[in-house]
């Protein structure tokens, strides 16, 4: 082998050693592959976001209409409308051909025909869509193809219409770039950035920690190779070759996991936006970067770890006192992170700098794994007294505080990041929540345009027939002006409707005032557009409590001169029981035959709005991510603990044979994990709360302490580590058997 | 006229922390001879062997191999020398558990740049000479103590070394296996013309040596040949 090829020979030897490894090293390989794989999935998802956003924008552009005349093209008549179903918005496009066919359709639907999106088609045919079907009485002739949808969760219906279609627009083509989309709100944006950083960081810590599993076995192996003449550089190349295997396995696993999980993205909606699985695709340069970077990082981490490890031919480390850890650079890192976050928090503009925010978060979270070893060393250094179990545990930790500190640091980073994220989510939910002042009654109103009184009365009658509706009325709007040219809004309704809606006694000719209108008592108001028409208001009004939809006055027909209230616009207030969300759907169905001529506004928050659902999705994702990474951390702790017990099995067996109770040995193992964990939890909770407070400031949200999620997460972290520790006990029992005293 | 010594250690001092291991040890090894280093536990026998083999660098004193001062060499050339000129048979943990016995024996050649097939052919020859061909495909953990030591001897000799360093090579073996291993080690070394530096505290093992030196309290006595 030529000297130039020798390095590759050493790498190949390292790969071969890793493949021939024993059980402990296979566990290391599995954990490394798992951690690396999860990191690869997060990276691939993050790398896919630009493409997914671009594709979503492209799809939005593709369905934009253009009313610019094109020679030779007969325009399509198109009218936009919408409805809502259990908080989900459904776009309705009424079409009348001939004309250009919208993207995703093979032909224009005729009168009585519908083409719906796949999500809407599924809803209409499911049991959950029973109350929606009356709004789509036509025949569904097909589903909209992917080209005509912005996302798989899009709810759209193209409805064939007939008649004059007042208010419709001429459409000559599709694909006109529209106005730029709304930017992601600052709060959501911060959540995304923090989420990615928090997920990637502990994965990195776990991969680095997992690479140290079976470290003693590997050190002995490398020492044996050193003995027969491998120099320091060869040993590092061999060790690097071993680490490549884990990273390559992680790449393959991560890539496969990404492809397997990708279809699930079609079931998620964030801020009303859904993406097709095929749009979740990292760009080729980013894929290449990830494929190259992961093994390089793995090798780099191995070489960096070996920088402080001297593999000598004898493989025996004559240990002196462990090196004193310096505090100043650790505090400098944390201080830098805080300074960066403070700078972003005091940033006057609405959107913080990505670089500054990410750097600040990373440095603050990095403070945990760098501070913990120092803190642990300080604590166990001073703890020289105590029960024998404590002495054993602190003695062991004094000898090697780095490894347990690193492992619980991973748990702590997850805990801190999750606490910060949950603080943000809680604030976001408060910020985006809608409050109602409807009291116990739900309130909404229809706005009808281009319909007759008879049609309006029909809608009101159907609404009253819906179980749970307390009242529905038909009103018309009239504007009144005083001598100072101030406008006042009035609603004209029959006594029957006024009595039903506002619970007042009524005679035709009466006038009522809301809180706004009381000042108008006794005044004369002019009716604009009717020069000589005036109305003199009574000296005393019957007051009407509650919401009148913005009208200052409620008037009976006889209170106004004849013929002043005309036109085809109607308002239909509806009062209903808001506790049952099906009631409002039944109310909406009352106006279904009027199609685009009727719009219903629900003024009561009876279900989560789009952003609330988004935050629920994010919160579920956070808990899932926290559980997964805590599980990984616990598994790593378990393997490390079992390995440490195996390494010390003879001394433990000697202790047990000498009469030391096994329970004491078991307690020392428990304390070995409990002491670092306790420190880690304290640091993590403080860091999480501080980070959460900073991020709330960055997102211009008021600071508020929410201990519920903190308590749950801390409890989960403690449970995970306690479970891992308890699972170590069988290994302790085995190690203390007298047979362990036998020589090899 | 006696040939010049192959390997010479003069007045070696070595401490580990504040604990002195060698306090002025000297030794010389002739080509082809079997030298036993004896002494009580903790006397510095192994440390002297490690210094002679270039594994440890003494704090004071020199180790010279074929006229070249070994103790002054940086790690890389010392490692290269161990690879090309020395062989090792230790009591424990010397074979790589993840590799087969054949691959273990071939490893020094592979590290020296010999292609795998050629290295394994040579390794197979040595396994045959030491009568352990049947464990070629097995891992060290699957062999008996005696078989493992014979594999180690094969590995020590595969590179045609000038000196073989053996530290308690029979320490983990029963007396029958121990004798068999010592016979094979000494016979194979003499056939190859390699010197053997042997650390032992057992007189019956030292009996295989042409000469012995005693180390007490870090000082080696009874130097021959004269320096």
């Amino acid at each position: 082998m030529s000297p130039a090829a020798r390095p590759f020979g050493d790498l190949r030897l390292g790969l071969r050693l890793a493949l021939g490894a024993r059980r402990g090293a296979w566990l290391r390989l599995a954990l490394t592959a798992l951690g690396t794989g999860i990191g690869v999935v997060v990276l691939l998802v993050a790398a896919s976001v630009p493409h997914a956003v671009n594709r979503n924008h492209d799809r939005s552009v593709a369905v934009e209409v253009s009313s610019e005349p094109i020679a030779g093209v007969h325009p399509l008549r198109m009218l936009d409308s919408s409805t809502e179903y259990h908080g989900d918005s459904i776009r309705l496009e009424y079409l009348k051909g001939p004309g250009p066919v919208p993207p995703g359709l093979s032909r224009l639907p005729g009168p009585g025909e519908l083409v719906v999106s796949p999500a809407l088609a599924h809803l209409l045919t499911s049991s959950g869509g029973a109350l929606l079907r009356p709004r789509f009485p036509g025949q569904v002739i097909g589903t909209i193809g992917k080209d005509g949808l912005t996302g798989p969760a899009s709810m759209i219906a193209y409805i064939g219409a007939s008649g004059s279609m007042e208010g419709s627009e001429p459409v000559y083509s599709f694909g006109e770039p529209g106005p730029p989309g709304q930017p992601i709100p600052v709060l959501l944006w911060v959540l995304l950035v923090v989420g990615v950083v928090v997920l990637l960081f502990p994965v990195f810590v776990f991969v680095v920690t997992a690479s140290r599993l079976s470290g003693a076995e590997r050190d002995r192996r490398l020492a044996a190779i050193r003995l027969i003449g491998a120099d320091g550089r060869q040993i590092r190349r061999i060790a690097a070759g071993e680490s490549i295997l884990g990273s390559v396995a992680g790449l393959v696993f991560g890539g496969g996991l990404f492809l397997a999980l990708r279809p699930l993205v079609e079931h998620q909606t964030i801020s009303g936006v859904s993406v097709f699985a095929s749009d979740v695709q990292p760009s080729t340069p980013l894929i290449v970067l990830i494929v190259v970077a992961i093994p390089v990082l793995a090798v780099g981490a191995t070489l960096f770890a070996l920088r402080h490890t001297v593999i000598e031919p004898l493989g025996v480390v004559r240990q002196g006192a462990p090196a004193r850890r310096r505090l100043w650079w650790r505090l400098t890192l944390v201080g830098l992170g805080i300074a960066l976050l403070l700078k972003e928090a005091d940033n006057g503009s609405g959107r913080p700098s990505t670089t500054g925010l990410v750097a600040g978060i990373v440095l603050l979270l990095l403070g945990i794994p760098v501070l913990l070893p120092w803190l642990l060393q300080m604590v166990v250094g001073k703890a020289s007294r105590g029960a024998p179990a404590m002495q054993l545990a602190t003695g062991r930790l004094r000898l090697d505080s780095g490894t347990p500190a690193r492992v619980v640091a991973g748990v702590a980073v997850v805990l801190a990041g999750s606490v910060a994220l949950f603080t943000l989510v809680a604030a976001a939910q408060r910020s985006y929540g809608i409050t109602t002042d409807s009291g116990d009654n739900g309130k909404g109103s229809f706005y009808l345009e281009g319909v007759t009184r008879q049609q309006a009365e029909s809608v009101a009658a159907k609404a009253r027939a819906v179980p749970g509706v307390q009242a529905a009325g038909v009103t018309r709007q009239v504007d009144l002006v005083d001598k100072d040219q101030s406008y006042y809004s009035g609603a004209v309704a029959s006594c029957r409707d006024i009595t039903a809606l506002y619970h007042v006694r009524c005679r035709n000719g009466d006038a009522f005032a809301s809180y706004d209108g009381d000042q108008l008592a006794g005044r004369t108001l002019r009716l604009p557009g009717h020069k000589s028409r005036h109305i003199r208001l009574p000296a005393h009004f019957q007051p009407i409590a509650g919401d009148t939809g913005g009208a200052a006055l409620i008037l009976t027909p006889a209170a106004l001169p004849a013929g002043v209230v005309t036109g085809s616009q109607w308002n239909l207030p509806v009062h209903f029981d808001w506790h049952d969300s099906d009631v409002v759907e039944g109310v909406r169905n009352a106006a279904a035959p009027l199609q685009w001529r009727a719009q219903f506004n629900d003024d009561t928050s009876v279900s989560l709005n789009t952003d609330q659902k988004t935050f629920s999705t994010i919160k579920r994702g956070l808990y899932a991510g926290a559980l997964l990474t805590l599980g990984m951390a616990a598994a790593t702790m378990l393997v490390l603990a079992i390995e440490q017990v195996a390494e010390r099995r003879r001394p433990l067996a000697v202790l047990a044979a000498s009469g030391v109770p096994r329970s004491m040995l078991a307690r020392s193992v428990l304390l070995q994990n409990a002491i670092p964990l306790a420190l880690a939890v304290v640091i993590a909770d403080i860091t999480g709360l501080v980070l959460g407070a900073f991020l709330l400031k960055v997102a211009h949200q008021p600071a508020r302490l929410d201990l519920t999620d903190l308590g749950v997460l801390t409890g989960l972290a403690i449970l995970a580590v306690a479970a891992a520790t308890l699972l170590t006990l069988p290994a302790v029992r085995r190690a203390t058997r007298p047979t362990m005293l036998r020589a090899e | 006229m006696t040939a010049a010594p192959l390997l010479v250690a003069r007045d070696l001092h070595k401490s580990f922390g504040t604990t002195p291991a060698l306090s002025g040890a000297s030794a010389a090894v002739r080509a082809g001879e079997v030298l036993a280093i004896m002494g009580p536990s903790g006397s510095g026998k192994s440390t002297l062997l490690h210094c002679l083999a270039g594994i440890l660098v003494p704090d004071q004193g020199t180790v010279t191999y074929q006229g070249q001062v070994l103790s002054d060499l940086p790690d890389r050339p010392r490692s290269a020398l161990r690879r090309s000129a020395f062989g090792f048979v230790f009591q424990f943990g010397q074979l790589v558990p993840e590799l087969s016995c054949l691959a273990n024996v071939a490893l020094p050649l592979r590290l020296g740049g010999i292609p795998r097939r050629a290295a394994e052919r040579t390794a197979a020859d040595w396994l045959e000479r030491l009568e352990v061909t049947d464990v070629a495909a097995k891992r060290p953990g699957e062999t008996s103590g005696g078989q493992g030591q014979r594999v180690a001897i094969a590995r020590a000799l595969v590179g045609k070394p000038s000196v073989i360093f053996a530290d308690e090579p029979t320490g983990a073996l029963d007396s029958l296996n121990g004798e068999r291993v010592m016979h094979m080690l000494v016979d194979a070394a003499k056939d190859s013309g390699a010197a053997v530096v042997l650390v032992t505290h057992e007189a019956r093992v030292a009996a295989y040596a042409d000469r012995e030196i005693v180390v007490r309290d870090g000082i080696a006595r009874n130097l021959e040949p004269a320096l």
Side-chain angles (χ1 to χ4, degrees), chain A residues 213-297:
Chain A
L213 293 179
S214 293
E217 187 184 291
R218 184 188 60 187
D219 291 348
R220 280 195 292 272
R221 178 168 65 244
L222 294 176
I225 300 173
R226 272 287 266 145
L227 178 66
I228 57 174
D231 59 40
R233 276 191 213 178
Q234 280 182 299
I235 285 297
R236 282 191 288 276
R237 283 195 291 262
I238 292 168
E242 287 191 40
S243 67
I244 286 176
L245 184 65
S247 64
V248 169
L251 269 174
V252 171
F253 171 66
L257 191 62
F258 173 76
L259 291 173
L261 293 177
R262 192 168 62 166
L264 297 178
V265 76
E266 296 197 357
H267 301 286
Q268 304 300 324
T269 305
I270 301 222
S271 278
V273 175
S274 61
V275 292
F276 287 102
S278 58
D279 290 345
V280 179
Q281 194 170 330
S283 64
T284 306
L286 285 175
I287 293 177
V288 170
L289 181 65
I290 291 170
V291 167
V292 169
I294 294 291
V296 166
L297 280 172

Side-chain angles (χ1 to χ4, degrees), chain A residues 1-2 6 9-10 12-13 16-22 25 217 220-221 224-234 237-238 312-314 318 744, chain B residues 16 47 50 55-56 75-76 79-80 82-83 88 90 92-100 103-104 107-108 110-116 120 139 155:
Chain A
M1 192 187 301
S2 66
R6 197 169 300 170
D10 295 334
R12 273 203 307 272
L13 178 60
R16 198 171 162 194
L17 287 173
L19 281 170
R22 293 192 284 196
E217 187 184 291
R220 280 195 292 272
R221 178 168 65 244
I225 300 173
R226 272 287 266 145
L227 178 66
I228 57 174
D231 59 40
R233 276 191 213 178
Q234 280 182 299
R237 283 195 291 262
I238 292 168
E312 283 298 329
L314 299 177
R318 309 232 181 203
E744 289 178 351
Chain B
F16 297 103
T47 307
H50 296 152
I55 295 171
L56 292 176
D75 173 67
R76 219 169 164 193
S79 300
R82 283 204 305 278
R83 199 162 55 231
F88 298 91
F90 280 13
F92 292 124
Q94 57 199 312
L95 298 176
V96 180
E98 290 75 21
L99 300 177
S100 67
N104 263 286
L107 191 55
R110 295 291 313 284
L111 289 171
I114 307 289
R116 185 174 64 87
E120 287 185 355
R139 290 197 179 143
R155 190 186 70 177

